[in-house]
Amino acid sequence: MTATNTTRPGRSWLLRLVLTFSFAQGAVSMARPAVSYRALALGADERAVGVITAVYALLPLLVAVPLGRRTDHGRCAPLLVAGVALISGGCALSGLAGSLPAMAAWSGVMGLGHLCFVIGAQSIVARRSAPEDRDRNFGHFTIGASLGQLIGPVAAGLVISEHDGRMAPTSATALLVSGAVAAVSYASLWRLEQRPRTAPSGAPAAGPPVAVRGILRTRGVPAGIFMSLAVLSATDILTAYLPVIGEDRAIAPTTIGLLLSLRAAATIACRLVMTPMIRWLGRTALMVVSCALAGVLCGGLVLPVPVWALAAMLLALGFCLGVGQPLSMTTVVQAAPERARSTALALRLTGNRLGQVAAPAGAGLLAGVAGTAAPFVLLGALLLSSAAMAGRTGRARGGGTSPGAGRVPAPAADEAGPAAEEEARPRRVCHGTGGPQARPKGP
């Protein structure tokens, strides 16, 4: 029996991780607009709201790599527990805060909690998945994020009301509710990580820490980080600037909300069929095609098309954007040195946070100078550049079109179970008689 057959049964851990991620991401997606409304109710102007929003992304930049290094040489589950606690506490305390500096501080705590959770969760998927299953498992894992992003803002809109000066109490209520939603994640956190059999870390081999510069120079890691940054920037800017396009074209806000929901639903659908698409096209070709098509579609959004055509474009765009995040995780994990996978994932998240800060700022600057079409042209250029990087990386690896293309580190003992340990043991092959013979693998 191969290592793959031992890992496929009993994937309840992945389902529970998806559910946990749905609640945690849903809480964050509900809290972030509520934080802005709460800050406005406390007297913040646009600049203050921007600072509070930036703290969410900037604070985790200081600790992402140290957290990744700690996870490379330890367990992942404690990061999930700490992350949910920080998300829940940051949300609830933001609702109770009475000043803008306090709002900024608790927004940073929320961002730190989200970073802790995501590093721990992605590392668990990397460790518990056989190499050939990582694309599928990362795709299913990111469905949790998509569900949270789909439901969270809608829930915030249902709770928050601006009528009769009620925005202050209703935004505080929304933040308290988001804190409670995050706490629900604890119901499915049990036994997500396997206990190590041989080494305390259960995965990476012993050795000195791999330098960050060495990780970033590993072929495939920069392409994965840049793809993740481009896709996340596209999602954020699309959410921020589609209402601006709607205002220019006299499209009702309810219609714009429906269009954004269609985009999120298409992303979920893409991740459900990730494995057949990889079998059909191969990982590298799928990354190149999806990013290139997404870049063209982003540029096409500025055309004066009717609403039905805009809806069709957003459906296709959402489907294409669904590829980037899970495959960038797989690309980074399988390209990075085995004992530095969590650090590489942390570097990928650092790139995401930088994109969340720089891309909206650049888009706003371009929109002020060249109009609302400029941010979408910027996104198109980013996504086309990501497609070119992915294509160059695949060619340098000898094509890289198969699902297992590239250098795939051998799975650790806790990733693939006893059969993987048996396969990993060295075997002597004696060409004479009477000595141990290497047995051929069965079907």
Side-chain angles (χ1 to χ4, degrees), residues 44-59:
D45 57 12
E46 291 82 357
R47 183 178 301 176
V49 171
V51 170
I52 293 172
T53 302
V55 170
Y56 172 89
L58 286 174
L59 183 59

Side-chain angles (χ1 to χ4, degrees), residues 105-442:
W106 295 125
S107 178
V109 169
M110 189 196 316
L112 180 61
H114 188 261
L115 179 78
C116 290
F117 182 92
V118 173
I119 290 177
Q122 290 180 3
S123 298
I124 286 176
V125 176
R127 291 185 184 183
R128 296 203 65 173
S129 303
E132 63 270 25
D133 292 336
R134 286 194 182 117
D135 290 320
R136 179 197 62 194
N137 289 353
F138 274 124
H140 291 171
F141 166 71
T142 52
I143 289 174
S146 298
L147 288 172
Q149 291 166 357
L150 179 65
I151 297 171
V154 175
L158 291 175
V159 176
I160 299 171
S161 173
E162 297 182 75
H163 297 295
D164 302 323
R166 296 179 59 214
M167 190 163 67
T170 56
S171 60
T173 301
L175 287 164
L176 292 172
V177 170
S178 64
V181 170
V184 175
S185 301
Y186 282 120
S188 53
L189 275 180
W190 47 277
R191 296 182 65 184
L192 287 174
E193 184 176 27
Q194 285 182 323
R195 291 288 180 179
R197 295 184 179 91
T198 56
S201 63
V210 181
V212 170
R213 183 179 299 180
I215 298 172
L216 292 175
R217 287 179 175 176
T218 304
R219 186 174 298 279
V221 172
I225 291 175
F226 188 76
M227 178 187 297
S228 181
L229 183 154
V231 170
L232 184 64
S233 298
T235 303
D236 282 357
I237 294 178
L238 185 65
T239 303
Y241 280 90
L242 194 64
V244 179
I245 286 183
E247 190 70 18
D248 289 344
R249 302 182 190 176
I251 302 174
T254 53
T255 304
I256 292 295
L258 179 60
L259 291 174
L260 289 172
S261 296
L262 285 175
R263 197 278 312 161
T267 297
I268 295 173
C270 168
R271 289 166 180 172
L272 288 172
V273 295
M274 186 78 68
T275 301
M277 288 194 298
I278 292 171
R279 289 176 183 158
W280 180 43
L281 288 175
R283 182 187 296 127
T284 299
L286 182 58
M287 290 190 293
V288 171
V289 170
S290 64
C291 286
L293 284 177
V296 172
L297 289 166
C298 277
L301 292 176
V302 304
L303 299 175
V305 296
V307 173
W308 66 265
L310 188 62
M313 292 170 68
L314 285 168
L315 275 171
L317 179 59
F319 194 89
C320 291
L321 292 176
V323 171
Q325 292 289 8
L327 289 195
S328 70
M329 294 178 198
T330 306
T331 299
V332 168
V333 165
Q334 299 196 163
E338 186 177 2
R339 64 180 186 275
R341 289 175 181 168
S342 295
T343 304
L345 288 170
L347 288 170
R348 174 186 167 277
L349 291 172
T350 300
N352 286 354
R353 291 293 192 265
L354 286 172
Q356 285 181 303
V357 174
L365 181 62
L366 286 174
V369 173
T372 56
F376 296 96
V377 175
L378 170 66
L379 289 180
L382 276 175
L383 289 164
L384 289 172
S385 299
S386 176
M389 285 186 68
R392 285 198 302 270
T393 301
R395 286 194 299 272
R397 288 183 164 208
T401 57
S402 66
R407 179 179 58 82
V408 180
D414 70 330
E415 292 176 1
E421 295 175 7
E422 180 67 24
E423 294 292 337
R425 293 189 187 117
R427 296 176 180 177
R428 291 186 299 145
V429 179
C430 298
H431 299 284
T433 58
Q437 298 290 325
R439 291 178 298 172
K441 292 182 181 179

